[in-house]
mmCIF file with all atom_site columns, all heavy atoms in Angstrom:
data_model
loop_
_atom_site.group_PDB
_atom_site.id
_atom_site.type_symbol
_atom_site.label_atom_id
_atom_site.label_alt_id
_atom_site.label_comp_id
_atom_site.label_asym_id
_atom_site.label_entity_id
_atom_site.label_seq_id
_atom_site.pdbx_PDB_ins_code
_atom_site.Cartn_x
_atom_site.Cartn_y
_atom_site.Cartn_z
_atom_site.occupancy
_atom_site.B_iso_or_equiv
_atom_site.pdbx_formal_charge
_atom_site.auth_seq_id
_atom_site.auth_comp_id
_atom_site.auth_asym_id
_atom_site.auth_atom_id
_atom_site.pdbx_PDB_model_num
ATOM 1   N N   . GLN B 1 70 ? 45.378 20.888 134.587 1.00 95.00 ? 90  GLN B N   1
ATOM 2   C CA  . GLN B 1 70 ? 45.204 21.186 135.982 1.00 95.00 ? 90  GLN B CA  1
ATOM 3   C C   . GLN B 1 70 ? 43.752 21.463 136.275 1.00 95.00 ? 90  GLN B C   1
ATOM 4   O O   . GLN B 1 70 ? 43.341 22.448 136.879 1.00 95.00 ? 90  GLN B O   1
ATOM 5   C CB  . GLN B 1 70 ? 46.113 22.358 136.410 1.00 95.00 ? 90  GLN B CB  1
ATOM 6   C CG  . GLN B 1 70 ? 47.563 22.024 136.278 1.00 95.00 ? 90  GLN B CG  1
ATOM 7   C CD  . GLN B 1 70 ? 48.496 23.191 136.574 1.00 95.00 ? 90  GLN B CD  1
ATOM 8   O OE1 . GLN B 1 70 ? 49.331 23.534 135.827 1.00 95.00 ? 90  GLN B OE1 1
ATOM 9   N NE2 . GLN B 1 70 ? 48.330 23.819 137.686 1.00 95.00 ? 90  GLN B NE2 1
ATOM 10  N N   . TYR B 1 71 ? 42.922 20.461 135.905 1.00 95.00 ? 91  TYR B N   1
ATOM 11  C CA  . TYR B 1 71 ? 41.503 20.614 135.903 1.00 95.00 ? 91  TYR B CA  1
ATOM 12  C C   . TYR B 1 71 ? 40.864 19.287 136.360 1.00 95.00 ? 91  TYR B C   1
ATOM 13  O O   . TYR B 1 71 ? 41.264 18.230 135.921 1.00 95.00 ? 91  TYR B O   1
ATOM 14  C CB  . TYR B 1 71 ? 41.103 20.923 134.463 1.00 95.00 ? 91  TYR B CB  1
ATOM 15  C CG  . TYR B 1 71 ? 39.673 21.034 134.208 1.00 95.00 ? 91  TYR B CG  1
ATOM 16  C CD1 . TYR B 1 71 ? 39.018 22.294 134.145 1.00 95.00 ? 91  TYR B CD1 1
ATOM 17  C CD2 . TYR B 1 71 ? 38.875 19.902 133.843 1.00 95.00 ? 91  TYR B CD2 1
ATOM 18  C CE1 . TYR B 1 71 ? 37.690 22.400 133.877 1.00 95.00 ? 91  TYR B CE1 1
ATOM 19  C CE2 . TYR B 1 71 ? 37.525 20.034 133.473 1.00 95.00 ? 91  TYR B CE2 1
ATOM 20  C CZ  . TYR B 1 71 ? 36.982 21.292 133.525 1.00 95.00 ? 91  TYR B CZ  1
ATOM 21  O OH  . TYR B 1 71 ? 35.650 21.366 133.223 1.00 95.00 ? 91  TYR B OH  1
ATOM 22  N N   . VAL B 1 72 ? 39.919 19.385 137.288 1.00 97.00 ? 92  VAL B N   1
ATOM 23  C CA  . VAL B 1 72 ? 39.127 18.180 137.723 1.00 97.00 ? 92  VAL B CA  1
ATOM 24  C C   . VAL B 1 72 ? 37.681 18.610 137.749 1.00 97.00 ? 92  VAL B C   1
ATOM 25  O O   . VAL B 1 72 ? 37.371 19.714 138.087 1.00 97.00 ? 92  VAL B O   1
ATOM 26  C CB  . VAL B 1 72 ? 39.709 17.659 139.094 1.00 97.00 ? 92  VAL B CB  1
ATOM 27  C CG1 . VAL B 1 72 ? 39.592 18.760 140.181 1.00 97.00 ? 92  VAL B CG1 1
ATOM 28  C CG2 . VAL B 1 72 ? 38.937 16.442 139.487 1.00 97.00 ? 92  VAL B CG2 1
ATOM 29  N N   . SER B 1 73 ? 36.874 17.651 137.326 1.00 97.00 ? 93  SER B N   1
ATOM 30  C CA  . SER B 1 73 ? 35.459 17.965 137.280 1.00 97.00 ? 93  SER B CA  1
ATOM 31  C C   . SER B 1 73 ? 34.610 16.837 137.893 1.00 97.00 ? 93  SER B C   1
ATOM 32  O O   . SER B 1 73 ? 35.095 15.671 137.999 1.00 97.00 ? 93  SER B O   1
ATOM 33  C CB  . SER B 1 73 ? 34.942 18.307 135.844 1.00 97.00 ? 93  SER B CB  1
ATOM 34  O OG  . SER B 1 73 ? 35.119 17.151 135.047 1.00 97.00 ? 93  SER B OG  1
ATOM 35  N N   . LEU B 1 74 ? 33.395 17.175 138.206 1.00 98.00 ? 94  LEU B N   1
ATOM 36  C CA  . LEU B 1 74 ? 32.417 16.158 138.691 1.00 98.00 ? 94  LEU B CA  1
ATOM 37  C C   . LEU B 1 74 ? 31.144 16.282 137.894 1.00 98.00 ? 94  LEU B C   1
ATOM 38  O O   . LEU B 1 74 ? 30.616 17.373 137.834 1.00 98.00 ? 94  LEU B O   1
ATOM 39  C CB  . LEU B 1 74 ? 32.133 16.375 140.183 1.00 98.00 ? 94  LEU B CB  1
ATOM 40  C CG  . LEU B 1 74 ? 31.152 15.375 140.818 1.00 98.00 ? 94  LEU B CG  1
ATOM 41  C CD1 . LEU B 1 74 ? 31.724 14.006 140.935 1.00 98.00 ? 94  LEU B CD1 1
ATOM 42  C CD2 . LEU B 1 74 ? 30.722 15.862 142.184 1.00 98.00 ? 94  LEU B CD2 1
ATOM 43  N N   . LEU B 1 75 ? 30.727 15.194 137.297 1.00 98.00 ? 95  LEU B N   1
ATOM 44  C CA  . LEU B 1 75 ? 29.468 15.188 136.596 1.00 98.00 ? 95  LEU B CA  1
ATOM 45  C C   . LEU B 1 75 ? 28.435 14.368 137.402 1.00 98.00 ? 95  LEU B C   1
ATOM 46  O O   . LEU B 1 75 ? 28.785 13.273 137.892 1.00 98.00 ? 95  LEU B O   1
ATOM 47  C CB  . LEU B 1 75 ? 29.607 14.512 135.212 1.00 98.00 ? 95  LEU B CB  1
ATOM 48  C CG  . LEU B 1 75 ? 30.660 15.156 134.237 1.00 98.00 ? 95  LEU B CG  1
ATOM 49  C CD1 . LEU B 1 75 ? 30.734 14.410 132.923 1.00 98.00 ? 95  LEU B CD1 1
ATOM 50  C CD2 . LEU B 1 75 ? 30.277 16.630 133.958 1.00 98.00 ? 95  LEU B CD2 1
ATOM 51  N N   . ILE B 1 76 ? 27.279 14.932 137.495 1.00 98.00 ? 96  ILE B N   1
ATOM 52  C CA  . ILE B 1 76 ? 26.182 14.185 138.161 1.00 98.00 ? 96  ILE B CA  1
ATOM 53  C C   . ILE B 1 76 ? 25.086 13.976 137.107 1.00 98.00 ? 96  ILE B C   1
ATOM 54  O O   . ILE B 1 76 ? 24.462 14.949 136.651 1.00 98.00 ? 96  ILE B O   1
ATOM 55  C CB  . ILE B 1 76 ? 25.604 15.006 139.338 1.00 98.00 ? 96  ILE B CB  1
ATOM 56  C CG1 . ILE B 1 76 ? 26.767 15.388 140.376 1.00 98.00 ? 96  ILE B CG1 1
ATOM 57  C CG2 . ILE B 1 76 ? 24.550 14.159 140.114 1.00 98.00 ? 96  ILE B CG2 1
ATOM 58  C CD1 . ILE B 1 76 ? 26.309 16.288 141.490 1.00 98.00 ? 96  ILE B CD1 1
ATOM 59  N N   . ARG B 1 77 ? 24.852 12.762 136.763 1.00 98.00 ? 97  ARG B N   1
ATOM 60  C CA  . ARG B 1 77 ? 23.826 12.376 135.788 1.00 98.00 ? 97  ARG B CA  1
ATOM 61  C C   . ARG B 1 77 ? 22.465 12.261 136.503 1.00 98.00 ? 97  ARG B C   1
ATOM 62  O O   . ARG B 1 77 ? 22.390 11.929 137.665 1.00 98.00 ? 97  ARG B O   1
ATOM 63  C CB  . ARG B 1 77 ? 24.133 11.111 135.082 1.00 98.00 ? 97  ARG B CB  1
ATOM 64  C CG  . ARG B 1 77 ? 25.326 11.249 134.084 1.00 98.00 ? 97  ARG B CG  1
ATOM 65  C CD  . ARG B 1 77 ? 25.578 9.921  133.369 1.00 98.00 ? 97  ARG B CD  1
ATOM 66  N NE  . ARG B 1 77 ? 25.827 8.846  134.317 1.00 98.00 ? 97  ARG B NE  1
ATOM 67  C CZ  . ARG B 1 77 ? 27.012 8.638  134.895 1.00 98.00 ? 97  ARG B CZ  1
ATOM 68  N NH1 . ARG B 1 77 ? 28.030 9.451  134.633 1.00 98.00 ? 97  ARG B NH1 1
ATOM 69  N NH2 . ARG B 1 77 ? 27.198 7.617  135.738 1.00 98.00 ? 97  ARG B NH2 1
ATOM 70  N N   . ASP B 1 78 ? 21.384 12.519 135.719 1.00 97.00 ? 98  ASP B N   1
ATOM 71  C CA  . ASP B 1 78 ? 20.055 12.394 136.270 1.00 97.00 ? 98  ASP B CA  1
ATOM 72  C C   . ASP B 1 78 ? 19.905 13.082 137.636 1.00 97.00 ? 98  ASP B C   1
ATOM 73  O O   . ASP B 1 78 ? 19.554 12.463 138.621 1.00 97.00 ? 98  ASP B O   1
ATOM 74  C CB  . ASP B 1 78 ? 19.692 10.868 136.395 1.00 97.00 ? 98  ASP B CB  1
ATOM 75  C CG  . ASP B 1 78 ? 18.257 10.644 136.806 1.00 97.00 ? 98  ASP B CG  1
ATOM 76  O OD1 . ASP B 1 78 ? 17.428 11.535 136.545 1.00 97.00 ? 98  ASP B OD1 1
ATOM 77  O OD2 . ASP B 1 78 ? 17.951 9.583  137.388 1.00 97.00 ? 98  ASP B OD2 1
ATOM 78  N N   . SER B 1 79 ? 20.248 14.336 137.629 1.00 97.00 ? 99  SER B N   1
ATOM 79  C CA  . SER B 1 79 ? 20.271 15.139 138.897 1.00 97.00 ? 99  SER B CA  1
ATOM 80  C C   . SER B 1 79 ? 18.958 15.047 139.605 1.00 97.00 ? 99  SER B C   1
ATOM 81  O O   . SER B 1 79 ? 17.861 15.129 138.960 1.00 97.00 ? 99  SER B O   1
ATOM 82  C CB  . SER B 1 79 ? 20.629 16.609 138.589 1.00 97.00 ? 99  SER B CB  1
ATOM 83  O OG  . SER B 1 79 ? 21.964 16.689 138.060 1.00 97.00 ? 99  SER B OG  1
ATOM 84  N N   . GLN B 1 80 ? 19.009 14.910 140.928 1.00 97.00 ? 100 GLN B N   1
ATOM 85  C CA  . GLN B 1 80 ? 17.847 14.880 141.788 1.00 97.00 ? 100 GLN B CA  1
ATOM 86  C C   . GLN B 1 80 ? 17.836 16.067 142.764 1.00 97.00 ? 100 GLN B C   1
ATOM 87  O O   . GLN B 1 80 ? 18.922 16.559 143.082 1.00 97.00 ? 100 GLN B O   1
ATOM 88  C CB  . GLN B 1 80 ? 17.835 13.563 142.531 1.00 97.00 ? 100 GLN B CB  1
ATOM 89  C CG  . GLN B 1 80 ? 17.823 12.287 141.655 1.00 97.00 ? 100 GLN B CG  1
ATOM 90  C CD  . GLN B 1 80 ? 16.559 12.242 140.826 1.00 97.00 ? 100 GLN B CD  1
ATOM 91  O OE1 . GLN B 1 80 ? 15.455 12.335 141.307 1.00 97.00 ? 100 GLN B OE1 1
ATOM 92  N NE2 . GLN B 1 80 ? 16.785 12.061 139.487 1.00 97.00 ? 100 GLN B NE2 1
ATOM 93  N N   . PRO B 1 81 ? 16.644 16.495 143.172 1.00 96.00 ? 101 PRO B N   1
ATOM 94  C CA  . PRO B 1 81 ? 16.620 17.567 144.208 1.00 96.00 ? 101 PRO B CA  1
ATOM 95  C C   . PRO B 1 81 ? 17.500 17.248 145.391 1.00 96.00 ? 101 PRO B C   1
ATOM 96  O O   . PRO B 1 81 ? 18.055 18.148 145.995 1.00 96.00 ? 101 PRO B O   1
ATOM 97  C CB  . PRO B 1 81 ? 15.172 17.649 144.522 1.00 96.00 ? 101 PRO B CB  1
ATOM 98  C CG  . PRO B 1 81 ? 14.455 17.245 143.281 1.00 96.00 ? 101 PRO B CG  1
ATOM 99  C CD  . PRO B 1 81 ? 15.322 16.139 142.706 1.00 96.00 ? 101 PRO B CD  1
ATOM 100 N N   . SER B 1 82 ? 17.606 15.965 145.754 1.00 97.00 ? 102 SER B N   1
ATOM 101 C CA  . SER B 1 82 ? 18.463 15.539 146.873 1.00 97.00 ? 102 SER B CA  1
ATOM 102 C C   . SER B 1 82 ? 19.935 15.787 146.633 1.00 97.00 ? 102 SER B C   1
ATOM 103 O O   . SER B 1 82 ? 20.726 15.681 147.567 1.00 97.00 ? 102 SER B O   1
ATOM 104 C CB  . SER B 1 82 ? 18.230 14.122 147.210 1.00 97.00 ? 102 SER B CB  1
ATOM 105 O OG  . SER B 1 82 ? 18.492 13.270 146.146 1.00 97.00 ? 102 SER B OG  1
ATOM 106 N N   . ASP B 1 83 ? 20.329 16.045 145.384 1.00 97.00 ? 103 ASP B N   1
ATOM 107 C CA  . ASP B 1 83 ? 21.718 16.369 145.082 1.00 97.00 ? 103 ASP B CA  1
ATOM 108 C C   . ASP B 1 83 ? 22.050 17.819 145.386 1.00 97.00 ? 103 ASP B C   1
ATOM 109 O O   . ASP B 1 83 ? 23.173 18.243 145.305 1.00 97.00 ? 103 ASP B O   1
ATOM 110 C CB  . ASP B 1 83 ? 22.000 16.116 143.629 1.00 97.00 ? 103 ASP B CB  1
ATOM 111 C CG  . ASP B 1 83 ? 21.915 14.642 143.223 1.00 97.00 ? 103 ASP B CG  1
ATOM 112 O OD1 . ASP B 1 83 ? 22.248 13.799 144.098 1.00 97.00 ? 103 ASP B OD1 1
ATOM 113 O OD2 . ASP B 1 83 ? 21.485 14.372 142.112 1.00 97.00 ? 103 ASP B OD2 1
ATOM 114 N N   . SER B 1 84 ? 21.054 18.633 145.681 1.00 97.00 ? 104 SER B N   1
ATOM 115 C CA  . SER B 1 84 ? 21.229 20.059 146.014 1.00 97.00 ? 104 SER B CA  1
ATOM 116 C C   . SER B 1 84 ? 22.125 20.172 147.269 1.00 97.00 ? 104 SER B C   1
ATOM 117 O O   . SER B 1 84 ? 21.733 19.710 148.336 1.00 97.00 ? 104 SER B O   1
ATOM 118 C CB  . SER B 1 84 ? 19.918 20.760 146.240 1.00 97.00 ? 104 SER B CB  1
ATOM 119 O OG  . SER B 1 84 ? 19.113 20.738 145.025 1.00 97.00 ? 104 SER B OG  1
ATOM 120 N N   . ALA B 1 85 ? 23.290 20.750 147.090 1.00 97.00 ? 105 ALA B N   1
ATOM 121 C CA  . ALA B 1 85 ? 24.277 20.813 148.162 1.00 97.00 ? 105 ALA B CA  1
ATOM 122 C C   . ALA B 1 85 ? 25.411 21.667 147.656 1.00 97.00 ? 105 ALA B C   1
ATOM 123 O O   . ALA B 1 85 ? 25.459 22.134 146.497 1.00 97.00 ? 105 ALA B O   1
ATOM 124 C CB  . ALA B 1 85 ? 24.762 19.438 148.531 1.00 97.00 ? 105 ALA B CB  1
ATOM 125 N N   . THR B 1 86 ? 26.420 21.867 148.492 1.00 97.00 ? 106 THR B N   1
ATOM 126 C CA  . THR B 1 86 ? 27.671 22.467 148.075 1.00 97.00 ? 106 THR B CA  1
ATOM 127 C C   . THR B 1 86 ? 28.700 21.364 147.848 1.00 97.00 ? 106 THR B C   1
ATOM 128 O O   . THR B 1 86 ? 28.836 20.507 148.670 1.00 97.00 ? 106 THR B O   1
ATOM 129 C CB  . THR B 1 86 ? 28.175 23.482 149.122 1.00 97.00 ? 106 THR B CB  1
ATOM 130 O OG1 . THR B 1 86 ? 27.282 24.541 149.246 1.00 97.00 ? 106 THR B OG1 1
ATOM 131 C CG2 . THR B 1 86 ? 29.544 24.013 148.741 1.00 97.00 ? 106 THR B CG2 1
ATOM 132 N N   . TYR B 1 87 ? 29.385 21.421 146.727 1.00 98.00 ? 107 TYR B N   1
ATOM 133 C CA  . TYR B 1 87 ? 30.364 20.386 146.342 1.00 98.00 ? 107 TYR B CA  1
ATOM 134 C C   . TYR B 1 87 ? 31.743 21.009 146.437 1.00 98.00 ? 107 TYR B C   1
ATOM 135 O O   . TYR B 1 87 ? 32.075 22.027 145.826 1.00 98.00 ? 107 TYR B O   1
ATOM 136 C CB  . TYR B 1 87 ? 30.082 19.889 144.960 1.00 98.00 ? 107 TYR B CB  1
ATOM 137 C CG  . TYR B 1 87 ? 28.822 19.015 144.920 1.00 98.00 ? 107 TYR B CG  1
ATOM 138 C CD1 . TYR B 1 87 ? 27.583 19.669 144.856 1.00 98.00 ? 107 TYR B CD1 1
ATOM 139 C CD2 . TYR B 1 87 ? 28.904 17.671 145.034 1.00 98.00 ? 107 TYR B CD2 1
ATOM 140 C CE1 . TYR B 1 87 ? 26.406 18.906 144.910 1.00 98.00 ? 107 TYR B CE1 1
ATOM 141 C CE2 . TYR B 1 87 ? 27.750 16.934 145.042 1.00 98.00 ? 107 TYR B CE2 1
ATOM 142 C CZ  . TYR B 1 87 ? 26.502 17.538 145.025 1.00 98.00 ? 107 TYR B CZ  1
ATOM 143 O OH  . TYR B 1 87 ? 25.321 16.791 145.072 1.00 98.00 ? 107 TYR B OH  1
ATOM 144 N N   . LEU B 1 88 ? 32.571 20.402 147.265 1.00 96.00 ? 108 LEU B N   1
ATOM 145 C CA  . LEU B 1 88 ? 33.909 20.850 147.564 1.00 96.00 ? 108 LEU B CA  1
ATOM 146 C C   . LEU B 1 88 ? 34.968 20.042 146.888 1.00 96.00 ? 108 LEU B C   1
ATOM 147 O O   . LEU B 1 88 ? 34.941 18.794 146.963 1.00 96.00 ? 108 LEU B O   1
ATOM 148 C CB  . LEU B 1 88 ? 34.160 20.806 149.109 1.00 96.00 ? 108 LEU B CB  1
ATOM 149 C CG  . LEU B 1 88 ? 33.202 21.554 150.058 1.00 96.00 ? 108 LEU B CG  1
ATOM 150 C CD1 . LEU B 1 88 ? 33.448 21.164 151.454 1.00 96.00 ? 108 LEU B CD1 1
ATOM 151 C CD2 . LEU B 1 88 ? 33.386 23.062 149.867 1.00 96.00 ? 108 LEU B CD2 1
ATOM 152 N N   . CYS B 1 89 ? 35.802 20.702 146.116 1.00 96.00 ? 109 CYS B N   1
ATOM 153 C CA  . CYS B 1 89 ? 36.942 20.047 145.460 1.00 96.00 ? 109 CYS B CA  1
ATOM 154 C C   . CYS B 1 89 ? 38.115 20.106 146.433 1.00 96.00 ? 109 CYS B C   1
ATOM 155 O O   . CYS B 1 89 ? 38.378 21.119 147.056 1.00 96.00 ? 109 CYS B O   1
ATOM 156 C CB  . CYS B 1 89 ? 37.224 20.767 144.181 1.00 96.00 ? 109 CYS B CB  1
ATOM 157 S SG  . CYS B 1 89 ? 38.752 20.218 143.267 1.00 96.00 ? 109 CYS B SG  1
ATOM 158 N N   . ALA B 1 90 ? 38.828 19.024 146.585 1.00 94.00 ? 110 ALA B N   1
ATOM 159 C CA  . ALA B 1 90 ? 39.978 18.951 147.479 1.00 94.00 ? 110 ALA B CA  1
ATOM 160 C C   . ALA B 1 90 ? 41.171 18.310 146.733 1.00 94.00 ? 110 ALA B C   1
ATOM 161 O O   . ALA B 1 90 ? 40.999 17.329 146.050 1.00 94.00 ? 110 ALA B O   1
ATOM 162 C CB  . ALA B 1 90 ? 39.634 18.193 148.739 1.00 94.00 ? 110 ALA B CB  1
ATOM 163 N N   . VAL B 1 91 ? 42.294 18.897 146.965 1.00 93.00 ? 111 VAL B N   1
ATOM 164 C CA  . VAL B 1 91 ? 43.525 18.480 146.214 1.00 93.00 ? 111 VAL B CA  1
ATOM 165 C C   . VAL B 1 91 ? 44.671 18.226 147.206 1.00 93.00 ? 111 VAL B C   1
ATOM 166 O O   . VAL B 1 91 ? 44.911 18.979 148.120 1.00 93.00 ? 111 VAL B O   1
ATOM 167 C CB  . VAL B 1 91 ? 43.927 19.581 145.250 1.00 93.00 ? 111 VAL B CB  1
ATOM 168 C CG1 . VAL B 1 91 ? 45.198 19.263 144.509 1.00 93.00 ? 111 VAL B CG1 1
ATOM 169 C CG2 . VAL B 1 91 ? 42.791 19.756 144.206 1.00 93.00 ? 111 VAL B CG2 1
ATOM 170 N N   . VAL B 1 92 ? 45.400 17.115 146.981 1.00 89.00 ? 112 VAL B N   1
ATOM 171 C CA  . VAL B 1 92 ? 46.644 16.897 147.674 1.00 89.00 ? 112 VAL B CA  1
ATOM 172 C C   . VAL B 1 92 ? 47.794 17.435 146.849 1.00 89.00 ? 112 VAL B C   1
ATOM 173 O O   . VAL B 1 92 ? 48.020 16.943 145.722 1.00 89.00 ? 112 VAL B O   1
ATOM 174 C CB  . VAL B 1 92 ? 46.887 15.355 147.979 1.00 89.00 ? 112 VAL B CB  1
ATOM 175 C CG1 . VAL B 1 92 ? 48.205 15.143 148.714 1.00 89.00 ? 112 VAL B CG1 1
ATOM 176 C CG2 . VAL B 1 92 ? 45.741 14.793 148.765 1.00 89.00 ? 112 VAL B CG2 1
#
Side-chain angles (χ1 to χ4, degrees):
Chain B
Q90 296 176 233
Y91 177 96
V92 58
S93 64
L94 179 70
L95 302 179
I96 306 175
R97 289 182 301 281
D98 187 25
S99 295
Q100 301 297 309
S102 59
D103 295 325
S104 298
T106 296
Y107 289 81
L108 303 169
C109 174
V111 175
V112 178

